[in-house]
Amino acid sequence: MNIDQENFEVEVIYALPTQQKRIQIKVAPGTTCIEAVKQSEITTFFPEIDLENVKLGIFSRLVKHHEVLVTGQRVEIYRPLIADPKDVRRKRAEKAKDEGRINKKTGAKV
């Protein structure tokens, strides 16, 4: 049996606000998500990726590092949040109240 018939393609992707990198690699059956990320050598392009603590996903679904891949999947490397979305929304609402753009009692637009 030929080794290429056993191996299958997956994609590893990482995106920043200004750029993204997509790397297609062939992996053996039983390869985990973190192994695929390491095989892609994406850290040569983005050395800030911490492979021990990085969050990974497959098509927007958060996965564990040891989850086994199947053919055609895309491993996504997630960046840490720089701000809590709830705090950002709360501050934006408080600012709107202070500026008089919303009703202070009901929260509806004026």
Side-chain angles (χ1 to χ4, degrees):
M1 186 186 286
N2 190 348
I3 256 184
D4 287 336
Q5 291 175 341
E6 294 176 1
N7 294 348
F8 57 89
E9 284 194 1
V10 295
E11 188 174 49
V12 177
I13 187 165
Y14 183 69
L16 294 173
T18 57
Q19 69 182 36
Q20 74 174 9
K21 186 75 175 168
R22 297 169 63 172
I23 301 173
Q24 290 228 322
I25 58 170
K26 284 195 174 211
V27 297
T31 301
T32 64
C33 292
I34 195 67
E35 289 171 346
V37 171
K38 289 176 183 175
Q39 285 178 14
S40 74
E41 298 180 350
I42 200 159
T43 54
T44 58
F45 301 101
F46 304 101
E48 68 272 11
I49 298 173
D50 177 13
L51 293 178
E52 296 299 317
N53 301 312
V54 70
K55 292 192 179 197
L56 302 175
I58 296 176
F59 293 115
S60 301
R61 178 180 57 87
L62 199 60
V63 297
K64 297 195 184 303
H65 284 205
H66 62 270
E67 185 165 325
V68 177
L69 293 167
V70 297
T71 186
Q73 286 186 324
R74 179 181 68 207
V75 180
E76 300 160 344
I77 302 170
Y78 299 135
R79 293 179 285 125
L81 292 176
I82 57 174
D84 181 12
K86 289 180 183 178
D87 287 339
V88 172
R89 186 173 187 281
R90 188 177 302 113
K91 288 176 184 175
R92 191 170 51 237
E94 288 171 4
K95 182 179 176 187
K97 277 185 194 176
D98 294 342
E99 293 175 354
R101 291 185 285 132
I102 62 173
N103 184 306
K104 292 185 182 196
K105 287 187 179 183
T106 64
K109 289 184 180 180
V110 178

